[in-house]
Amino acid sequence: MVFMQSNLLEMINYFFQSLSRNFFLILLKFNFKRTQNYSFNDLNFKQSDLTNYKLIKNYVLKDNFIKNISITNIHTFDFILLYQKIGGKKGIDLSKINIFTWFEKYKFYKNFLWKDDYSSKRFINIVYNYDFLCSISNEKEIKKIKYILNFHIRRIVYEIKRKKPEDISSFEFLALILIECIQKNYNISLVNKINEIINLQIDECSMHRSYNILEHVRFLNNLIEVKNIFLFFNKKTPLILNKNILAMTSLLKTYRHDDFSLPLFNGCNNNHIDEIQKISEREQFLRTKPLTSFKNGIAVYKDINKVLFFDVVQPTKFGYHKELSASSLAIEISAGGEKIITNCGGSEGSGKNPAYLKYSAAHSTIVINNTNISEIKEREINKTFPKEVFYETKDEEETKILSGTHNGYLLNYKKICKRKIIISKKNNFFIGEDTIISSKSNIDKNVFHIRFHLMPEISTTVTENKKNVIIKTKKNSIWMFKSNNEIIIENSIFVKNDIAIQTSQIVISGITSSLKNKIQWSLEKI
């Protein structure tokens, strides 16, 4: 009954939102509001360049690329940044042709081109490149560019007003601040909005709640640009802005492997690793932020020799969790300046992370019946995910113990998964205990796989008893992986620069045959 009432309320809400949007678009068509003559000169606040130019080059050379809906990056107008690099009359003309063509075709669309943050990204890209676009444009073209910007302002403000603060992306946040300052609407209400969005989207450890370190960097970069906007317009910078910029920058030093690569959770990739390194070094005297109050997210263990990352994120239905992968209890390990255990990684190849790279099997975690821990939906917040993810840690004299539990398989298979990792503080030695617990007395036999994806250029040899694997790294370090179950080596992929490279994975498999199935494994340098 409650479920039916909830669905009915959702349908009613959707109906009224659709009706409101249709009415709003009719007003726009009849130019209900006059175009305002705002000044857009000298408003380039670009800080760090996190643009995927390889992606842009792949589509800008195609005929009528601007009409392609499947490559979402096209609709952010990132192509202007590439055309600016080309420069001169050619770069300006190509930018204007594609902006004007896009606007004529899509300006009254109701779908994701306006409801998501693509409109904010378009607005930011045009404003930041306004002087470039207008440098050799005639009066008619400049007037058209201004009209497009004003049109975006109306639609962005309309959409953001109807969103909950936790569903507003950092680009929408940046666009909103820029719009309010252009319109001279800086007031206490705007400051309160800033406080609310930051407090909701940044956790107690100063990590962005997407738990994707690349998204963390983008949010940080946009906060820095917001600060620059306030300085430009001679407005007082809210204290929470400065505080979080420092704390989030400090955290970057924690979320790196020994080879300076990023942990590949929730769609993260290493396409922008050099730029991120510059950001982390910008505050020269900033210390690494200790995770003293860690409760939820990507847990970290670090010492002078090794690093381990552990996914114990508690998913929610908030917008910032829309891109979470089905990777609960997944790990990554590096030691001696090189990464060993990894997740498959993310790709921006078509402007978004492909769904299959979010699957549980693409992560170094426990998988039951080859199904995902969380439901994967394109452009939707996952409707089914672990309702309870527990994390605890124990600090002993010679070891650190990290433990995580989730109930993502409870509904389908009546199983709870637990992973305990014992880390030697003195040696390069990890012990793992993966437990699959049945929540009912009559045991259903389910197939399980525990996957450990290996970095490319790592070679493996399975010993005769099929319970040990000798691992040889790129730097010729030798590690021994052991288990109390039989082990096989399967093919895997690792995404590097948006290209899937073939690699291998260690797989422990079996069938749940008791109330508690405990699988032990270890990884040790020899």
Side-chain angles (χ1 to χ4, degrees):
M1 186 69 179
V2 174
F3 179 75
M4 289 176 65
Q5 287 177 341
S6 176
N7 278 350
L8 183 61
L9 286 172
E10 282 183 20
M11 288 173 62
I12 293 170
N13 185 48
Y14 178 81
F15 171 77
F16 280 110
Q17 281 190 354
S18 182
L19 193 66
S20 171
R21 189 171 284 107
N22 286 334
F23 182 66
F24 171 71
L25 290 177
I26 290 169
L27 294 180
L28 277 183
K29 282 182 182 180
F30 287 98
N31 201 21
F32 182 74
K33 290 184 178 180
R34 245 181 351 175
T35 298
Q36 299 294 321
N37 191 27
Y38 300 122
S39 174
F40 298 106
N41 296 98
D42 301 320
L43 297 180
N44 189 345
F45 303 101
K46 194 172 184 67
Q47 194 67 26
S48 299
D49 194 352
L50 300 170
T51 308
N52 190 328
Y53 288 102
K54 180 183 174 183
L55 169 62
I56 300 169
K57 288 173 183 175
N58 283 340
Y59 64 68
V60 292
L61 299 176
K62 297 176 182 176
D63 294 336
N64 295 318
F65 76 85
I66 204 70
K67 297 178 181 179
N68 188 330
I69 290 287
S70 63
I71 302 177
T72 54
N73 181 266
I74 290 170
H75 307 282
T76 67
F77 286 6
D78 277 356
F79 58 79
I80 301 174
L81 304 174
L82 179 63
Y83 288 145
Q84 189 186 46
K85 285 184 176 290
I86 294 171
K89 186 177 185 301
K90 183 179 180 182
I92 295 169
D93 288 344
L94 286 169
S95 296
K96 288 188 294 190
I97 287 167
N98 286 293
I99 290 170
F100 296 159
T101 303
W102 186 96
F103 188 68
E104 289 305 312
K105 181 173 177 59
Y106 298 115
K107 61 183 174 182
F108 291 118
Y109 267 46
K110 291 191 294 180
N111 65 5
F112 71 95
L113 296 179
W114 290 100
K115 286 194 288 185
D116 288 347
D117 64 3
Y118 301 110
S119 52
S120 294
K121 290 175 181 176
R122 287 194 299 272
F123 175 76
I124 292 163
N125 277 327
I126 298 173
V127 171
Y128 282 12
N129 293 280
Y130 180 81
D131 296 326
F132 164 71
L133 294 169
C134 297
S135 58
I136 57 170
S137 298
N138 58 43
E139 192 174 328
K140 184 179 179 181
E141 289 172 325
I142 293 172
K143 188 176 180 181
K144 191 167 186 178
I145 292 168
K146 282 189 172 183
Y147 177 77
I148 291 170
L149 284 170
N150 275 280
F151 190 92
H152 272 74
I153 287 173
R154 295 174 194 173
R155 293 209 65 171
I156 290 167
V157 170
Y158 173 86
E159 295 295 343
I160 290 178
K161 279 183 177 178
R162 281 150 186 81
K163 286 191 174 186
K164 296 176 182 177
E166 61 267 23
D167 294 334
I168 296 172
S169 82
S170 65
F171 288 98
E172 290 173 310
F173 174 67
L174 173 59
L176 178 65
I177 301 300
L178 184 54
I179 288 166
E180 297 291 359
C181 286
I182 289 170
Q183 294 179 331
K184 300 179 180 178
N185 287 337
Y186 184 90
N187 52 40
I188 190 65
S189 176
L190 182 61
V191 173
N192 290 338
K193 187 89 170 177
I194 292 168
N195 290 339
E196 188 177 19
I197 290 171
I198 291 177
N199 283 327
L200 279 167
Q201 299 207 24
I202 305 300
D203 72 9
E204 59 276 2
C205 294
S206 303
M207 180 72 171
H208 187 255
R209 292 185 192 271
S210 63
Y211 298 110
N212 171 338
I213 197 64
L214 183 55
E215 286 305 310
H216 174 92
V217 171
R218 288 194 175 110
F219 195 95
L220 168 61
N221 187 63
N222 288 340
L223 288 187
I224 295 169
E225 291 185 8
V226 166
K227 181 180 177 179
N228 291 340
I229 290 168
F230 286 145
L231 291 171
F232 179 85
F233 285 96
N234 198 27
K235 303 298 180 184
K236 185 180 178 181
T237 305
L239 181 63
I240 194 171
L241 208 59
N242 288 323
K243 178 185 171 184
N244 277 276
I245 287 170
L246 288 173
M248 292 178 76
T249 304
S250 175
L251 201 70
L252 284 182
K253 300 176 187 293
T254 300
Y255 281 88
R256 297 188 305 195
H257 279 286
D258 282 350
D259 60 359
F260 297 104
S261 65
L262 305 179
L264 301 178
F265 294 90
N266 302 314
C268 186
N269 63 65
N270 281 301
N271 292 347
H272 311 284
I273 190 168
D274 292 336
E275 197 67 28
I276 292 169
Q277 183 69 8
K278 291 176 188 175
I279 295 170
S280 67
E281 292 173 351
R282 192 170 291 147
E283 302 287 344
Q284 295 181 13
F285 303 105
L286 202 59
R287 293 183 178 180
T288 301
K289 183 177 174 65
L291 301 181
T292 52
S293 58
F294 183 89
K295 296 177 183 177
N296 173 38
I298 307 298
V300 184
Y301 172 84
K302 269 194 171 188
D303 61 35
I304 195 168
N305 296 313
K306 55 192 178 294
V307 183
L308 180 139
F309 294 101
F310 187 25
D311 183 349
V312 285
V313 175
Q314 173 62 71
T316 69
K317 290 186 178 181
F318 292 143
Y320 47 68
H321 279 172
K322 183 168 61 175
E323 297 300 326
L324 285 184
S325 299
S327 58
S328 298
L329 308 189
I331 58 171
E332 288 199 343
I333 296 174
S334 62
E338 56 185 343
K339 192 175 177 184
I340 302 164
I341 306 295
T342 185
N343 296 311
C344 291
S347 170
E348 300 170 324
S350 63
K352 61 180 179 179
N353 192 38
Y356 66 86
L357 291 173
K358 299 179 185 178
Y359 293 168
S360 298
H363 297 82
S364 295
T365 191
I366 308 159
V367 185
I368 295 180
N369 277 9
N370 287 312
T371 56
N372 292 316
I373 296 163
S374 302
E375 186 179 86
I376 302 295
K377 289 282 187 181
E378 289 290 345
R379 297 194 190 121
E380 280 186 36
I381 298 171
N382 294 347
K383 292 181 180 177
T384 305
F385 51 78
K387 299 298 184 292
E388 292 180 345
V389 178
F390 294 110
Y391 172 73
E392 59 183 359
T393 180
K394 189 175 182 182
D395 203 350
E396 298 182 341
E397 186 177 346
E398 295 188 356
T399 62
K400 180 90 170 184
I401 302 172
L402 311 182
S403 298
T405 307
H406 76 76
N407 65 350
Y409 288 120
L410 188 61
L411 185 64
N412 290 341
Y413 305 116
K414 309 302 178 189
K415 297 290 189 289
I416 293 168
C417 294
K418 181 177 182 180
R419 168 165 276 183
K420 180 164 79 170
I421 303 167
I422 304 164
I423 308 165
S424 169
K425 293 180 180 179
K426 295 180 180 178
N427 304 309
N428 287 326
F429 187 36
F430 304 85
I431 297 174
E433 290 182 1
D434 293 339
T435 309
I436 302 169
I437 305 163
S438 180
S439 65
K440 61 179 186 177
S441 55
N442 53 325
I443 302 157
D444 290 331
K445 293 186 176 182
N446 302 115
V447 176
F448 67 83
H449 295 83
I450 305 173
R451 302 181 182 276
F452 302 86
H453 298 273
L454 301 172
M455 288 293 290
E457 300 181 309
I458 283 180
S459 62
T460 57
T461 304
V462 180
T463 60
E464 193 173 345
N465 67 3
K466 296 184 179 179
K467 292 186 177 181
N468 303 333
V469 179
I470 300 169
I471 297 171
K472 185 178 179 182
T473 71
K474 184 180 178 181
K475 292 184 178 180
N476 294 319
S477 294
I478 306 297
W479 292 73
M480 179 69 78
F481 184 96
K482 296 181 180 180
S483 176
N484 63 339
N485 279 41
E486 284 196 1
I487 298 168
I488 58 172
I489 302 297
E490 292 184 357
N491 289 332
S492 180
I493 62 167
F494 178 77
V495 179
K496 183 177 180 180
N497 296 326
D498 296 330
I499 297 172
I501 301 169
Q502 185 170 325
T503 184
S504 58
Q505 59 179 308
I506 296 170
V507 182
I508 304 169
S509 61
I511 297 174
T512 55
S513 56
S514 61
L515 288 173
K516 183 184 285 189
N517 295 265
K518 183 181 287 187
I519 302 92
Q520 296 175 319
W521 54 268
S522 65
L523 180 65
E524 182 178 14
K525 188 175 182 181
I526 58 175

